[in-house]
Amino acid sequence: MTVKELMDKGWFKVINEGDDTERDIEKVFCCDLLSIAMGKAPAGCAWVTVMGNINTLAVATLADAAVVILAENAALDENATAKAEQQGVCVLATDMPIFDAALMIHEALNA
Amino acid sequence: MEDAIVLKYQVIDGEFQRAGEVSSDVKHKLKQLGVPADIVRKVAIAMYEGEVNMVIHANGGEITVEITPEQIRMILADVGPGIPDVEKAMQAGYSTASDATRNLGFGAGMGLPNMKKNTDSMDIETKLGEGTTITMVVRL
Ligand SMILES: Nc1ncnc2c1ncn2[C@@H]1O[C@H](COP(=O)(O)OP(=O)(O)OP(=O)(O)O)[C@@H](O)[C@H]1O
Ligand SMILES: [Mg+2]
């Protein structure tokens, strides 16, 4: 499933589309602690988190996540939004809890 | 070392909003140089963790990156408080991060272990009250 296919499901609000929506999503990853995400998030993952600050975007870029999904209505602050645009990171949002959002993506990946 | 490319950056104390800029820039430059993606990712992860530590635990400092056909060497020199017990600091889960930085998602105590895991060698020189210099090498 590509990032675009995930967006097209209409489950999530699109905060920033990013530059590479044709990219394949490899796996779902969940964690809010940045250094754990940095160490464990696989390249090409869909990263589900409630941390919407600029450091989330830095980690997503450097660890090479395919898409960030902000769960629990977590907002992306102003600086983070600017960073997402500048770095071309795809950011989606939902009011669902982390597990529910992640499970939904996981099931779509394995469908 | 005739083919060495040297990059130098200043890291500014307390600039959370900018933490990660040096690592992003280095990542970009390595990609342009045609360095393989898995190496770029390792360097980016190690640099980011080191850069953030300079911002949250030390008082900023200077990062030097030397790129040769054989290796990428990163030297992170800060003017912070130094690390009293390096062995303890290297343990996964050990952190002295403040509540304010924990609220931003830092403080898992995984930064130094991530640096070690993603590099071929890592050396920490530290002096209490003077600062810390971390040298990491990733071989190409
Ligand atoms: N440059 C530094 N100067 C002074 N102390 C440092 C420095 N780098 C790390 N430390 C000390 O070592 C501890 C462990 O660092 P490490 O990067 O592993 O975890 P952290 O920064 O606390 O949390 P995380 O990196 O997971 O967000 C820090 O909490 C701090 O006490
Ligand atoms: Mg750290």
Side-chain angles (χ1 to χ4, degrees):
Chain A
M1 182 169 64
T2 63
V3 173
K4 175 156 196 319
E5 285 163 348
L6 177 64
M7 290 195 309
D8 287 347
K9 296 211 180 281
W11 295 336
F12 305 123
K13 196 164 102 193
V14 179
I15 306 289
N16 187 59
E17 197 173 293
D19 312 325
D20 194 4
T21 52
E22 290 306 322
R23 190 162 178 199
D24 272 318
I25 298 171
E26 308 287 340
K27 201 177 187 298
V28 190
F29 178 80
C30 304
C31 188
D32 297 319
L33 291 175
L34 296 166
S35 290
I36 292 182
M38 194 58 130
K40 295 273 177 68
C45 68
W47 176 22
V48 190
T49 176
V50 295
M51 282 287 171
N53 65 58
I54 191 161
N55 305 292
T56 308
L57 274 301
V59 171
T61 311
L62 296 166
D64 207 15
V67 50
V68 175
I69 297 101
L70 292 171
E72 297 280 8
N73 262 334
L76 203 61
D77 66 35
E78 207 176 292
N79 287 309
T81 307
K83 184 93 173 173
E85 285 166 10
Q86 179 211 334
Q87 300 278 343
V89 183
C90 180
V91 182
L92 310 178
T94 176
D95 56 7
M96 276 187 266
I98 293 183
F99 177 78
D100 300 39
L103 182 64
M104 212 153 104
I105 304 168
H106 175 78
E107 285 178 343
L109 278 178
N110 291 291
Chain B
M1 288 267 292
E2 45 185 302
D3 292 332
I5 296 172
V6 180
L7 309 171
K8 265 193 199 296
Y9 301 90
Q10 296 299 321
V11 176
I12 303 154
D13 186 26
E15 282 271 7
F16 290 105
Q17 299 297 341
R18 295 183 57 188
E21 279 187 8
V22 175
S23 322
S24 291
D25 191 72
V26 171
K27 178 180 176 179
H28 191 70
K29 294 218 160 84
L30 293 178
K31 263 188 171 168
Q32 280 178 336
L33 287 167
V35 174
D38 57 324
I39 303 274
V40 175
R41 189 167 189 271
K42 284 166 123 193
V43 171
I45 291 173
M47 287 254 332
Y48 174 79
E49 295 290 5
E51 183 184 352
V52 168
N53 282 352
M54 288 169 80
V55 174
I56 67 178
H57 303 300
N59 307 318
E62 192 176 70
I63 296 181
T64 309
V65 184
E66 295 167 4
I67 306 157
T68 68
E70 291 79 38
Q71 65 178 38
I72 295 157
R73 175 152 66 173
M74 301 160 260
I75 302 154
L76 287 71
D78 69 53
V79 288
I83 303 175
D85 185 342
V86 173
E87 206 178 310
K88 202 162 156 191
M90 285 299 298
Q91 283 172 10
Y94 178 80
S95 175
T96 62
S98 66
D99 287 347
T101 53
R102 283 176 200 268
N103 287 342
L104 293 169
F106 298 113
M110 287 309 295
L112 290 169
N114 279 348
M115 289 156 75
K116 174 114 190 133
K117 192 175 104 188
N118 284 284
T119 53
D120 292 303
S121 77
M122 173 170 161
D123 172 67
I124 303 180
E125 255 178 69
T126 185
K127 209 161 186 188
L128 288 187
E130 288 185 17
T132 302
T133 298
I134 301 184
T135 304
M136 298 181 283
V137 173
V138 174
R139 279 193 288 275
L140 278 162

